[in-house]
Amino acid sequence: MWFKKKLTPAYLLNVFYPYLLITPAIIFVLVALLYPLLESFRISFYSYSLQYPIRFIGLGNYRRALNDPLFWRSFVVTCYFTVAVVVAELLLGLGLALLLNRDLKGRSLMRSLILAPLVLTPVVAGLMFRFMYNPDYGILDYFLSLVGLRFLWVSSSSTALLSVILIDIWEITPYPTILFLAGLQSIPLEQYEAAEMDGASRWQRFRHVTIPWLIPFVVLYLIVRTSDAFQIFDMIFALTGGGPAGVTRSLSIYSWLQGWTNLEFGYASAVSYVLVAFSAVFAIVYVRILRARVEV
Amino acid sequence: MKRLSRHQIESLLIYGILLVVYVIALFPIFWTFMTSIKNPTEAFLIPPVWIFNPSFENYIDVFLGRPFFKYMLNSFVMSSSATGLAAIVGSLAGYSFARFRFRGKSPLLFGLLTTRMVPAIAIAIPMFIQFWTWGMLDTYPAVILVYTARCIGYATWMMYAFFQTVPREMEESAMIDGCSRLGALVRIVLPLSAPGLVSFIIMNYVYLWNEFLIAVILTGRNTKTLPVAVTGFVAERGIEWGPACAAATVIMLPMMIIGLSLQKYIVKGMVMGAVKG
């Protein structure tokens, strides 16, 4: 006999019970995430325009992307944006967390208030700043004029991307702030006391206790944040729709434009798969790191 | 004048910086609200009018001139349904991962976790084509299905983390008394991890309420959500900023209230979602 126990219904139920519990979750993921992902991949090999008959064109869409200056521009814009916001938000978030990590009065209120930009709808943020950035009646130019300055914000192709980056920084910095604040508050005091007894200066305590402790938080945060930033869509869509002369056109927006303005779904899918590839790499790294740390 | 100690100077500096930070963080929101209660012409005045008679003209325009109540209902229904569904399904899956050992557990768990990193635009195109083929565009179920799928990874992971903090003995003693596993889950484990569940629900609700990409692609006249509706002000004869700001304020308000009052849960949700333990 190759099985040791009787295959009674009770036994089978016991063995499959864990799988049973996770089945609904798996079903949702298969139907509404995995299937569309695979389908999108399949579509990317076709000329799937709603205007012309659907033709299989193999790598045609991908070759088109490689030769498409607009695609490359979107790629560069997205890279620029991602690096800028991730670095800025990291540094500002850390700085803010350090500032807030003291016995300040009204700490709880401060934490609540700082969440405001973060819980704001990104589309609404885009709209809000579109209003404030307006050259004729925007409040920001008014403030600048009080000190004799002038800035073109999203009206000029040379400053538009920076203006977009500033909005994202405004919106998202609370996230690393809260995260690192929690991290800072989890550092056991004994570490600092021990360092102090060894004669460490304030700066040395920071370098040798605080920073090493925070690094795990920072690494995981960076991976997730970079992946998210690369997919930026909502805020830019509401603010400029791709900006003057495409200088704020991220990859997501470019894919959307190809799909819903040019009705070229095949090409749009191919472009979106660049995003998928990018996210996949980050997801793999993320899982690797998490698995090494978390016992499952 | 007494010389200030170094410590006091430091404190002053910190409060000063924080003040600047908070003004920057809150001004745009404040300004949008201010604009929404000005009458339409005052909104465009430069230099800006700081003292004026508040008027609710913009809000009347938003609510009576457009089916805004319907959009609010849509947002509410879809966010609630997807969050609720994800909470249930995620709790079941999270419990399984927290309590059992089985083949393929690790890849399944981490696989589910990574689903939140899937770019929305990549799944939007096929979902759009599919639902369009089935005539299901602009329906609740279509959007709720996709939303739930997007949330399940996070839900499972959160509940998994929180269930692990509940000692096994709890259910085990209940099961000895004749309770079924699921019964123990519902009656004992879940109540003990209530803070985690609440954190998830709040975080997820905010995420879905603010969701735009999938909504704009899958919804239409009947199921339009608030974020989609607010971009509708950007069309036709230029942008009507007064009503747009009123709409923006309406969308922001629930989230701001949640952020202010339930900060504790949001922070917990953020921390658990980013790093385990």
Side-chain angles (χ1 to χ4, degrees), chain A residues 296, chain B residues 95-101 105 163-175 181 188-189:
Chain A
V296 166
Chain B
Y95 182 73
S96 182
F97 286 120
R99 291 294 189 245
F100 300 118
R101 274 197 316 224
K105 173 177 172 178
F163 286 156
Q164 283 192 318
T165 64
V166 176
R168 278 171 198 264
E169 295 79 55
M170 296 276 160
E171 305 113 84
E172 270 155 29
S173 56
M175 291 199 298
R181 247 214 201 265
I188 298 181
V189 183

Side-chain angles (χ1 to χ4, degrees), chain A residues 17-19 21-22 24-26 28-29 31-33 35-37 39-40 43 48 50 96 99-100 102-105 107-124 127-132 134 136-140 142-143 170 174-176 178-179 182 202 216-217 220 223-224 227-228 231 233-234 237-238 252 255-256 260 265 268-269 272-273 275-276 279 282-284 286-287 290-291 293-296, chain B residues 6 10 14-15 17-18 21-22 24-29 31-32 35 43-44 46-48 50 85 89 92-93 95-97 100 102-110 112-130 132 145-146 148-150 152 156-157 160 164 181-182 206 209-213 216-217 227 230-231 234 239 241 245 248 251-252 255-256 259-260 263 266-267 270-271 273-276:
Chain A
Y17 198 67
Y19 295 104
L21 288 181
I22 68 178
I26 302 286
F28 269 103
V29 170
V31 168
L33 280 179
Y35 165 69
L37 264 185
E39 184 64 5
S40 196
I43 292 177
Y48 206 114
L50 288 185
L96 211 54
L99 285 179
L100 287 174
R102 292 162 183 258
D103 271 319
L104 301 166
K105 294 191 204 125
R107 262 239 293 244
S108 181
L109 179 65
M110 287 210 218
R111 269 210 293 259
S112 305
L113 287 179
I114 202 70
L115 286 176
L118 193 61
V119 293
L120 188 64
T121 320
V123 215
V124 174
L127 265 179
M128 270 169 43
F129 277 88
R130 190 166 177 167
F131 182 50
M132 299 198 313
N134 188 288
D136 300 316
Y137 41 78
I139 188 79
L140 289 179
Y142 170 70
F143 284 145
W170 175 84
Y175 180 46
I178 296 282
L179 229 50
R202 210 158 152 185
F217 291 89
L220 284 179
I223 296 173
V224 174
S227 179
D228 283 345
Q231 300 172 23
F233 182 88
D234 300 12
F237 184 81
S252 279
S255 173
W256 184 88
W260 273 271
F265 287 111
S269 285
S272 76
Y273 249 78
L275 281 166
V276 173
S279 308
F282 273 79
I284 292 174
Y286 184 59
V287 168
L290 210 56
R291 256 173 118 148
R293 278 195 225 160
V294 171
E295 288 164 35
V296 166
Chain B
R6 176 169 159 194
E10 203 180 288
I14 289 180
Y15 275 112
I17 297 177
L18 284 177
V21 166
Y22 277 86
I24 294 177
L26 298 173
F27 179 74
I29 297 169
W31 185 244
T32 302
T35 307
F44 293 83
I46 291 291
W50 297 104
L85 217 50
V89 175
L92 289 174
Y95 182 73
S96 182
F97 286 120
F100 300 118
F102 47 95
R103 284 250 296 262
K105 173 177 172 178
S106 201
L108 279 172
L109 178 59
F110 288 106
L112 272 173
L113 178 64
T114 56
T115 57
R116 72 195 256 209
M117 290 166 90
V118 173
I121 189 76
I123 63 171
I125 296 169
M127 292 315 267
F128 174 73
I129 296 175
Q130 272 306 330
W132 180 61
L145 171 67
V146 178
T148 308
R150 301 253 325 147
I152 281 205
T156 305
W157 188 255
Y160 162 69
Q164 283 192 318
R181 247 214 201 265
L182 279 183
V206 172
W209 183 267
N210 292 341
E211 206 282 332
F212 177 72
L213 182 54
V216 80
I217 286 172
V230 91
T231 54
V234 182
I239 308 170
W241 282 117
C245 287
I251 302 179
M252 285 198 291
M255 299 297 113
M256 296 290 152
L260 245 120
Q263 161 254 118
I266 295 184
V267 170
M270 283 168 63
V271 173
V275 182
K276 207 206 127 200

Side-chain angles (χ1 to χ4, degrees), chain A residues 250-270:
Chain A
S250 68
L251 271 176
S252 279
I253 293 196
Y254 187 54
S255 173
W256 184 88
L257 284 172
Q258 286 294 347
W260 273 271
T261 312
N262 292 349
L263 298 178
E264 294 252 16
F265 287 111
Y267 190 43
S269 285

Side-chain angles (χ1 to χ4, degrees), chain A residues 40-41 44-45 58-67 267 269-271 273-274:
Chain A
S40 196
F41 191 56
S44 73
F45 293 117
L59 293 173
N61 283 320
Y62 292 97
R63 252 182 268 134
R64 177 176 168 188
L66 286 177
N67 291 322
Y267 190 43
S269 285
V271 171
Y273 249 78
V274 173

Side-chain angles (χ1 to χ4, degrees), chain A residues 83-294:
Chain A
V83 171
V85 299
V86 171
V87 171
E89 285 157 16
L90 176 69
L91 295 174
L92 287 173
L94 190 56
L96 211 54
L98 288 168
L99 285 179
L100 287 174
N101 187 30
R102 292 162 183 258
D103 271 319
L104 301 166
K105 294 191 204 125
R107 262 239 293 244
S108 181
L109 179 65
M110 287 210 218
R111 269 210 293 259
S112 305
L113 287 179
I114 202 70
L115 286 176
L118 193 61
V119 293
L120 188 64
T121 320
V123 215
V124 174
L127 265 179
M128 270 169 43
F129 277 88
R130 190 166 177 167
F131 182 50
M132 299 198 313
Y133 278 165
N134 188 288
D136 300 316
Y137 41 78
I139 188 79
L140 289 179
D141 271 336
Y142 170 70
F143 284 145
L144 286 179
S145 69
L146 292 179
V147 284
L149 294 171
R150 180 114 167 95
F151 196 68
L152 285 172
W153 305 111
V154 286
S155 315
S156 152
S157 51
S158 50
T159 56
L161 188 56
L162 174 64
S163 307
V164 166
I165 289 171
L166 289 176
I167 300 179
D168 196 83
I169 293 177
W170 175 84
E171 212 191 324
I172 306 289
T173 299
Y175 180 46
T177 303
I178 296 282
L179 229 50
F180 296 157
L181 188 59
L184 286 172
Q185 288 176 340
S186 71
I187 301 181
L189 283 173
E190 300 88 57
Q191 300 258 348
Y192 284 119
E193 282 160 12
E196 222 174 320
M197 286 205 296
D198 288 342
S201 73
R202 210 158 152 185
W203 169 248
Q204 283 174 320
R205 290 207 300 273
F206 180 71
R207 251 200 76 198
H208 296 282
V209 177
T210 313
I211 302 263
W213 187 270
L214 284 181
I215 288 190
F217 291 89
V218 172
V219 168
L220 284 179
Y221 161 76
L222 280 180
I223 296 173
V224 174
R225 182 68 201 119
T226 307
S227 179
D228 283 345
F230 209 70
Q231 300 172 23
I232 185 78
F233 182 88
D234 300 12
M235 184 258 289
I236 301 185
F237 184 81
L239 182 75
T240 60
V247 295
T248 60
R249 199 186 295 140
S250 68
L251 271 176
S252 279
I253 293 196
Y254 187 54
S255 173
W256 184 88
L257 284 172
Q258 286 294 347
W260 273 271
T261 312
N262 292 349
L263 298 178
E264 294 252 16
F265 287 111
Y267 190 43
S269 285
V271 171
S272 76
Y273 249 78
V274 173
L275 281 166
V276 173
F278 195 89
S279 308
V281 168
F282 273 79
I284 292 174
V285 174
Y286 184 59
V287 168
R288 279 262 159 86
I289 296 183
L290 210 56
R291 256 173 118 148
R293 278 195 225 160
V294 171

